[in-house]
Amino acid sequence: MSEIETLFGVLRQSADTAVVDLLERMVREAPDHALSKINALDLAGRAGLGEEQVIAGLLHAVGLGILEMTWSVMCPSCAGVLSANKSLKTVNSPQYRCAFCAAGYETSLDNLVEVTFAVSPRVRRIAAHDADGLPLSEYYRQVFWSSAIDLPVDLDALLRELTLEAVDLPPGERAILSLQVPSGTLIVFDPVTHTAQFLEVKGEETSERQSLSLILNKADVPVDAVALRPGALRLTLENRTDARVLPAVWVVNQRLEDILTRRKPSLTAKRLLTNQTFRDLYRTDTLAIGQRLKILSLTFLFSDLKDSTRLYEHVGDLVAFDLVNEHFRLLQEIIAAEQGAVVKTIGDAVMATFETPDRAIAAAIRMREAMSELGAQRQQQGLLLKMGIHEGSCLAVTLNGQQDYFGQTVNIASRIQGLAASRSIVVTESVVDNAETRSLLEASGLDPTRRSVALSGIAERVSVYEIP
């Protein structure tokens, strides 16, 4: 039996069979470019498989060394990869700048960091493992652009349409290009060093040859656009790096804009952090000690068993312990099914996160019903959950040796849970204002009741809604 067969045999013990079959076929048969930057959500959609099952399968494959995982900081405007990282620990800059778009972005995990997967060289070597050997179009497809951009199959033909001139420049070398520049906006761009120079070409055509020099290095220095007139240009490009570079002169037009705005869903860092399989596998090795990464919007659910002390007194420690453990199992199962993850348990309480408020609401409704059914089965009608949900910004951090969250949003969510009566779910205004949440509540026939409350440690009164 080959090593590949052995590895996929082990993977079948922990991942969905259909997902494992798909990954094995890809490793054996797919073209190189399909294995260099695997987009979990796009793969699930094209294969007709569940997103959570595909994500779990890819994560388990990483654990076995079949795949490698990359955390890419990407420009939200052009979808170019600004920084590729093998770990979230090295995403440590407070801001990233895209030279191609001449724009800077504050680092957050919502839509700036995507997670992709590539086949490990121990399983199969592909061209992207030696990116210096990739031709220009494939470098853009497999290295520069993120998996969120929907590139055409014949990318090479498209780039020829948009490119006036391009050169493959070895380290330490210099190239001199002679070209005719038309009116409009041009950009001299190198995807390896992320060096960019905009050219604004306007006015009457000149008969004199214009000259421009550009040094390609890894210094991130914003430069002003250069004004030129239509006509001859002598462009000198100098590679001052220890790797080959791929500078090209691009025409900025509607055709380019159309390509850059063609997007498909991709796996964000925020969504992966709220995935239960990821937390199970990587809860203690995600962020560095002291590292803080911003999340603009995350939904927190806190739950707690009502009168659990009375439960222990009523049925005894052994029976109560069994009930509490079964309650934890049911809650984790429901939370994971609604694309959430349990961050931690504290006594009989659960803290969970969800990418969006509607998924937290869906989980809370299911959890409430599951506890009623469990209480009926065990003849414990008092087995009731108190739940609170809040959405807002927070920091992803490491606390007590595991990945956790910090900030006022977490504090409010915890206090909101304390307001819940026996079977009610208490949520904040930001949760019910979510369009998907409103649709879910209407479909479930649930009409939240609003009230204003004062929360300990919060200066202003807070509007909360009780879902009966």
Side-chain angles (χ1 to χ4, degrees):
M1 182 179 290
S2 69
E3 182 182 19
I4 292 179
E5 290 173 326
T6 301
L7 288 171
F8 278 103
V10 175
L11 183 59
R12 282 187 173 83
Q13 298 174 22
S14 57
D16 181 87
T17 300
V19 175
V20 178
D21 290 343
L22 172 63
L23 293 178
E24 186 169 15
R25 285 197 304 273
M26 289 176 63
V27 167
R28 294 184 184 278
E29 303 169 8
D32 280 9
H33 68 79
L35 296 170
S36 67
K37 199 174 283 183
I38 299 171
N39 178 330
L41 306 191
D42 184 56
L43 179 63
R46 288 186 288 107
L49 297 172
E51 291 179 353
E52 295 302 300
Q53 287 87 347
V54 170
I55 294 170
L58 294 171
L59 290 171
H60 283 295
V62 171
L64 291 172
I66 298 171
L67 301 178
E68 296 176 339
M69 186 163 49
T70 300
W71 305 74
S72 298
V73 180
M74 66 174 186
C75 172
S77 180
C78 71
V81 172
L82 309 179
S83 172
N85 306 269
K86 292 301 179 185
S87 167
L88 194 55
K89 293 178 179 179
T90 54
V91 180
N92 49 24
S93 175
Q95 191 174 59
Y96 286 85
R97 183 179 180 277
C98 178
F100 191 87
C101 298
Y105 304 95
E106 181 185 14
T107 304
S108 73
L109 301 183
D110 299 73
N111 60 359
L112 202 71
V113 181
E114 73 161 10
V115 183
T116 57
F117 303 83
V119 67
S120 168
R122 81 178 264 203
V123 174
R124 172 180 159 182
R125 286 207 64 84
I126 57 174
H129 290 147
D130 181 19
D132 275 352
L134 290 172
L136 179 67
S137 61
E138 286 306 308
Y139 190 93
Y140 272 98
R141 183 194 302 277
Q142 300 185 48
V143 180
F144 177 72
W145 270 315
S146 82
S147 73
I149 191 164
D150 190 9
L151 295 171
V153 175
D154 193 356
L155 181 59
D156 189 56
L158 171 66
L159 293 184
R160 285 197 300 270
E161 286 181 36
L162 300 170
T163 305
L164 287 183
E165 191 67 75
V167 62
D168 189 325
L169 195 57
E173 295 290 316
R174 184 173 66 167
I176 299 175
L177 306 179
S178 295
L179 59 155
Q180 292 287 320
V181 292
S183 295
T185 301
L186 307 177
I187 178 173
V188 185
F189 181 69
D190 169 48
V192 181
T193 61
H194 289 234
T195 301
Q197 176 64 66
F198 282 86
L199 312 177
E200 294 296 341
V201 186
K202 55 187 176 181
E204 294 184 5
E205 185 170 342
T206 179
S207 58
E208 299 179 359
R209 187 174 65 182
Q210 304 163 102
S211 296
L212 178 65
S213 295
L214 186 61
I215 294 172
L216 304 171
N217 53 33
K218 295 186 178 179
D220 184 17
V221 181
V223 293
D224 295 330
V226 172
L228 296 172
R229 291 167 62 184
L233 173 65
R234 184 178 188 266
L235 178 61
T236 302
L237 301 167
E238 185 176 351
N239 180 4
R240 291 189 183 176
T241 75
D242 56 2
R244 68 103 181 235
V245 293
L246 298 167
V249 183
W250 289 51
V251 178
V252 179
N253 57 20
Q254 190 59 47
R255 183 79 168 114
L256 176 60
E257 292 294 326
D258 291 343
I259 292 302
L260 296 182
T261 54
R262 286 177 52 180
R263 300 300 172 86
K264 52 189 176 182
S266 63
L267 179 61
T268 64
K270 180 177 85 167
R271 175 159 179 183
L272 192 59
L273 293 184
T274 63
N275 176 274
Q276 190 63 55
T277 301
F278 177 80
R279 285 201 65 89
D280 291 343
L281 295 175
Y282 299 100
R283 72 172 66 236
T284 61
D285 193 37
T286 303
L287 299 171
I289 301 297
Q291 186 180 14
R292 298 171 298 175
L293 290 172
K294 188 173 184 178
I295 298 177
L296 299 177
S297 172
L298 194 65
T299 302
F300 291 88
L301 182 154
F302 280 82
S303 75
D304 196 10
L305 276 175
K306 181 178 183 294
D307 295 333
S308 58
T309 301
R310 187 181 303 173
L311 174 69
Y312 279 81
E313 292 176 351
H314 179 64
V315 301
D317 288 347
L318 289 177
V319 174
F321 180 77
D322 179 56
L323 278 170
V324 170
N325 275 348
E326 180 65 7
H327 134 271
F328 280 136
R329 185 193 68 78
L330 285 171
L331 264 54
Q332 178 160 320
E333 184 179 282
I334 292 169
I335 289 166
E338 294 295 342
Q339 300 179 13
V342 174
V343 178
K344 57 189 172 185
T345 59
I346 310 161
D348 300 325
V350 169
M351 172 186 174
T353 56
F354 297 83
E355 186 180 18
T356 55
D358 60 303
R359 297 270 53 86
I361 291 289
I365 294 171
R366 290 180 58 186
M367 288 158 62
R368 180 164 64 181
E369 296 307 315
M371 286 303 98
S372 293
E373 292 174 7
L374 179 62
Q377 291 170 6
R378 303 294 182 89
Q379 297 182 340
Q380 298 296 328
Q381 300 302 325
L383 198 63
L384 302 173
L385 277 184
K386 299 169 62 180
M387 287 181 279
I389 302 172
H390 180 48
E391 175 272 338
S393 63
C394 64
L395 295 175
V397 298
T398 293
L399 291 174
N400 300 318
Q402 67 176 14
Q403 194 264 308
D404 206 332
Y405 301 93
F406 178 85
Q408 190 74 307
T409 298
V410 183
N411 296 334
I412 292 175
S414 175
R415 287 167 173 77
I416 290 296
Q417 180 271 322
L419 301 173
S422 56
R423 275 179 52 85
S424 65
I425 303 165
V426 177
V427 305
T428 56
E429 197 160 26
S430 63
V431 175
V432 295
D433 278 350
N434 177 267
E436 287 76 16
T437 295
R438 290 198 301 270
S439 297
L440 177 62
L441 292 175
E442 289 173 7
S444 304
L446 298 172
D447 185 18
T449 303
R450 180 186 177 278
R451 57 188 168 116
S452 178
V453 298
L455 298 177
S456 174
I458 310 298
E460 297 180 357
R461 293 181 71 83
V462 176
S463 293
V464 299
Y465 293 77
E466 187 168 342
I467 302 174

